[in-house]
Amino acid sequence: MTIPEPQFYLKDTLSKAPTSIYFQARYSFNGPQRVMISTGDKILLADWDPVKKRAIASKRNPAHSDINTLCDKYVTIFKSVS
């Protein structure tokens, strides 16, 4: 069975305030399982790329690069243990 690529989602896609970023991964252990974990970061909906599922890094928001780096680390860790 192929393990799907982990994804990132926003908690509230209608929020006008910063909303939490969640890591979601699916795996198989005694049947299909799903894990969702909050990254601890929050972002405005306008600063989130819904296609790439990453923060939009810009000169206006340089901290978004750090969020994307953290997201990449979550994916790497998940793939190394699955």
Side-chain angles (χ1 to χ4, degrees):
M1 179 168 141
T2 305
I3 297 173
E5 187 72 18
Q7 300 289 323
F8 294 89
Y9 296 96
L10 298 182
K11 182 177 181 181
D12 184 359
T13 58
L14 301 176
S15 177
K16 301 226 185 292
T19 189
S20 297
I21 302 171
Y22 278 86
F23 167 84
Q24 175 182 289
R26 296 179 188 274
Y27 62 96
S28 181
F29 181 76
N30 292 333
Q33 302 290 323
R34 179 180 75 148
V35 63
M36 286 193 76
I37 302 168
S38 174
T39 64
D41 288 309
K42 291 185 176 188
I43 193 165
L44 288 169
L45 185 60
D47 295 333
W48 182 255
D49 184 334
V51 175
K52 294 180 181 177
K53 299 192 180 194
R54 294 290 195 275
I56 299 170
S58 65
K59 289 182 181 180
R60 183 174 63 105
N61 292 310
H64 290 174
S65 293
D66 295 337
I67 291 173
N68 290 336
T69 300
L70 179 66
C71 289
D72 293 339
K73 285 182 182 180
Y74 272 103
V75 171
T76 301
I77 292 168
F78 175 77
K79 286 183 174 183
S80 71
V81 296
S82 53

